[in-house]
Amino acid sequence: MAYELYYWPTIQGRGEFVRLALEEAGADYIDVARESEGVAVMMRMMEHADHPSFAPPFLKDGETVIGQTAAILLYLGARHGLAPKDPAGGLWTHQIQLTISDLVAEAHDTHHPVGVGLYYEDQKDEALRRAQEFRDDRIPKFLNWLETVLARNPSGPAHLVGRAITYADLSLFQTVEGLSYAFPKATARALKKAPHVAALHDAVAERPRIKAYLASPRRIPFNEEGLFRHYPELDG
Amino acid sequence: MAYELYYWPTIQGRGEFVRLALEEAGADYIDVARESEGVAVMMRMMEHADHPSFAPPFLKDGETVIGQTAAILLYLGARHGLAPKDPAGGLWTHQIQLTISDLVAEAHDTHHPVGVGLYYEDQKDEALRRAQEFRDDRIPKFLNWLETVLARNPSGPAHLVGRAITYADLSLFQTVEGLSYAFPKATARALKKAPHVAALHDAVAERPRIKAYLASPRRIPFNEEGLFRHYPELDG
């Protein structure tokens, strides 16, 4: 049976981390909310499920419904060889994913520092202040941490964990894509000091299934409704 | 061998979620940074570990070092019966924890909406704006979600998952404690509409090991350096 992914249909957002894992796995899935009436189905699921998710994305696999991006990836990683089978390696992969999730949340908050209930235009002054710290301190600090993880991988710096692709590698790719879209100048500066991160990003983009996905209409372009938004004034 | 917990020694912070799990489990552990030279040891570990953590807390169990609060709890939950043994129940517990982590991050950001590099006093105007949405919309939304999870538990509303205590229950307790400290008026209002949440919080506080812990010097009092801070102006 095909997986059912539930996520907002017009943005990459957090759902994209799940889409990339499903695509790399070659898994059969339906992106439910992109079908007609799909958003209404998603909202009913959130309201009435035995295990309701606080927010999209969530994934349905038969009778199992899983929410929270990192938990979905933990589940898919074990099922599709996108994480090491040994418990320590699996947990380390998850720890990296959770740290990437923290970076992604901070990226989001640059354009919504006051709250999700207001438009960007209504919190632009606060956004300018928050984005400065994000691009000067936080992007370099997170990318430097990922660089260190790659440099210390006993199997070499081609992957975050072990000698094969994991969902953490895919999430690194998506995060660098997003940061490069939203903060092109700041991210280019930080990537110069994180060559392993830049190389892994580029290598993921060339993986056959990911390359085909990125060129397909299934890949929604970045836009200013999503998680990573390009407001030039926030890039300094 | 005793676990070694690494976390800032003067605040509850995110480390408290790990401390509560260790205490409820009756596990032998050393709160390393609270010993003399402990913070220096922690900083060296962060710098030099094979699996460096981006930030505290992290836990050392023999040769294994695990960072990220939710990942530590996933590990401890499986080892100490603080999560269901079946994979679906374990994942659901983790999903709830990750959602609580999101709430906790938002609580933190009410006093640091511009960034972690500045003092509260330097972002007070922004904090006033952010706290309003947090107390009017976000606290009620998160507590209502937890209330729904409790109400839909097939084993009854005494626990978030199944019929026994999990680390998610402990984290709910800590989150309600923290919110009640930081936003007493807003949290009391929200708890009136979430009676199962309030009851679970009270029940956790009465568990023998938790009760003994809370009365011990191991429990650091809330303060204005931690995650949950009481600034009356932010409580509306």
Side-chain angles (χ1 to χ4, degrees), chain A residues 63-84:
Chain A
E63 292 304 302
T64 304
V65 179
I66 309 149
Q68 283 282 353
T69 308
I72 299 169
L73 293 173
L74 186 68
Y75 181 83
L76 290 176
R79 268 185 170 54
H80 293 282
L82 287 173

Side-chain angles (χ1 to χ4, degrees), chain B residues 135 179-191 230 232 234-236:
Chain B
R135 63 175 190 264
L179 290 174
S180 298
Y181 172 78
F183 302 95
K185 290 189 284 183
T187 304
R189 278 197 302 274
L191 283 174
H230 181 53
L234 299 187
D235 195 20

Side-chain angles (χ1 to χ4, degrees), chain A residues 122-201:
Chain A
D122 297 325
Q123 48 192 307
K124 209 167 161 177
D125 291 345
E126 292 90 343
L128 286 167
R129 290 192 73 192
R130 175 139 191 166
Q132 184 184 347
E133 178 179 294
F134 184 70
R135 63 177 188 263
D136 292 350
D137 298 337
R138 303 300 285 173
I139 293 178
K141 185 171 177 183
F142 276 103
L143 294 196
N144 178 59
W145 181 79
L146 290 166
E147 184 73 11
T148 302
V149 170
L150 287 165
R152 288 192 196 160
N153 182 353
S155 305
H159 296 290
L160 286 162
V161 185
R163 59 186 73 249
I165 188 102
T166 63
Y167 62 79
D169 290 340
L170 300 172
S171 295
L172 176 148
F173 161 79
Q174 174 63 13
T175 304
V176 171
E177 279 288 290
L179 291 174
S180 298
Y181 172 78
F183 303 94
K185 291 189 283 183
T187 305
R189 279 196 303 274
L191 282 174
K192 274 191 196 150
K193 297 182 182 172
H196 295 320
V197 172
L200 176 52
H201 164 268

Side-chain angles (χ1 to χ4, degrees), chain A residues 46-54 65-68 70-71 74-75 91-92 94-95 98-99 102 109 112-118 122-123 126 129-130 133 138 141-142 145 148-149 152, chain B residues 46-54 65-68 70-71 74-75 91-92 94-95 98-99 102 109 112-118 122-123 126 129-130 133 138 141-142 145 148-149 152:
Chain A
M46 282 183 63
E47 195 63 41
H48 298 296
D50 291 340
H51 289 179
S53 289
F54 184 78
V65 179
I66 309 149
Q68 283 282 353
L74 186 68
Y75 181 83
L91 203 60
W92 174 229
H94 193 52
Q95 178 180 339
L98 289 170
T99 306
D102 287 345
D109 283 0
H112 275 74
V114 174
V116 292
L118 296 170
D122 297 325
Q123 48 192 307
E126 292 90 343
R129 290 192 73 192
R130 175 139 191 166
E133 178 179 294
R138 303 300 285 173
K141 185 171 177 183
F142 276 103
W145 181 79
T148 302
V149 170
R152 288 192 196 160
Chain B
M46 281 183 62
E47 196 62 40
H48 298 295
D50 291 340
H51 289 178
S53 289
F54 184 78
V65 180
I66 310 149
Q68 284 282 352
L74 187 66
Y75 181 81
L91 203 61
W92 174 229
H94 193 52
Q95 177 179 339
L98 289 169
T99 306
D102 287 345
D109 283 1
H112 276 75
V114 174
V116 291
L118 297 170
D122 296 327
Q123 47 192 306
E126 292 89 344
R129 289 193 73 193
R130 175 138 187 167
E133 179 180 293
R138 305 299 285 173
K141 186 174 176 183
F142 275 103
W145 180 79
T148 301
V149 170
R152 288 192 197 161

Side-chain angles (χ1 to χ4, degrees), chain B residues 118-146:
Chain B
L118 297 170
Y119 292 108
Y120 167 65
E121 288 69 22
D122 296 327
Q123 47 192 306
K124 210 167 159 175
D125 290 345
E126 292 89 344
L128 286 167
R129 289 193 73 193
R130 175 138 187 167
Q132 184 185 346
E133 179 180 293
F134 183 69
R135 63 175 190 264
D136 291 352
D137 299 337
R138 305 299 285 173
I139 293 178
K141 186 174 176 183
F142 275 103
L143 295 195
N144 177 59
W145 180 79
L146 290 166

Side-chain angles (χ1 to χ4, degrees), chain B residues 25-38:
Chain B
D28 196 12
Y29 75 99
I30 303 163
D31 204 337
V32 177
R34 295 178 73 180
E35 318 224 313
S36 81
E37 308 297 325

